[in-house]
């Protein structure tokens, strides 16, 4: 049985600029049911390192949308499920409009 792929900082940027705010990106071991997390007040995006690179890049895009909502002040006006629904809609609407692999080149 082969060992699962583990992503590295060669695959994911260490930081991203979200509306002029720098968010640090950390790779961590999270439960398999969790892909990522955004901690807006800490300006931190956490990506589960135990996922394939392509999934991790989509997770980073998803978490960047959460970060943008935080920076713009919209997270304080939304309940968690409303925010997640909005993020998923924006991810679906614009995910195909950009080359998601470019996120891995933002070093």
């Amino acid at each position: 049985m082969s060992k699962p792929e583990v992503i590295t900082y060669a695959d994911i940027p260490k930081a991203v600029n979200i509306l002029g705010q720098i968010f640090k990106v950390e790779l961590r071991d999270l439960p398999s049911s969790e892909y990522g997390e955004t901690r807006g007040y800490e300006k931190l995006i956490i990506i589960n390192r135990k996922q394939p690179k392509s999934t991790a890049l989509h997770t980073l895009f998803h978490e960047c949308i959460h970060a943008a909502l935080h920076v713009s002040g919209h997270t304080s006006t939304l309940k968690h499920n409303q925010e997640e629904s909005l993020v998923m809609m924006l991810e679906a609407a614009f995910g195909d409009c950009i080359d998601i692999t470019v996120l891995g080149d933002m070093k």
Side-chain angles (χ1 to χ4, degrees), residues 26-38:
E26 291 185 0
L27 299 174
R28 295 188 186 174
D29 292 332
L30 299 174
S32 60
S33 61
E34 296 179 26
Y35 293 96
E37 174 184 347
T38 297

Side-chain angles (χ1 to χ4, degrees), residues 13-85:
K14 293 181 182 177
V16 290
N17 184 330
I18 306 294
L19 300 174
Q21 302 290 312
I22 303 301
F23 277 68
K24 184 178 178 184
V25 178
E26 291 185 0
L27 299 174
R28 295 188 186 174
D29 292 332
L30 299 174
S32 60
S33 61
E34 296 179 26
Y35 293 96
E37 174 184 347
T38 297
R39 297 181 182 173
Y41 291 107
E42 296 177 45
K43 294 191 173 97
L44 175 64
I45 293 173
I46 300 167
I47 303 295
N48 189 344
R49 75 170 66 243
K50 297 184 246 177
Q51 57 186 313
K53 178 182 175 181
S54 61
T55 305
L57 290 171
H58 282 280
T59 300
L60 178 59
F61 180 57
H62 178 98
E63 297 304 329
C64 284
I65 297 169
H66 278 292
L69 288 172
H70 174 79
V71 171
S72 65
H74 287 86
T75 54
S76 62
T77 65
L78 298 169
K79 294 179 182 176
H80 176 75
N81 62 335
Q82 292 172 318
E83 179 181 342
E84 194 62 31
S85 293

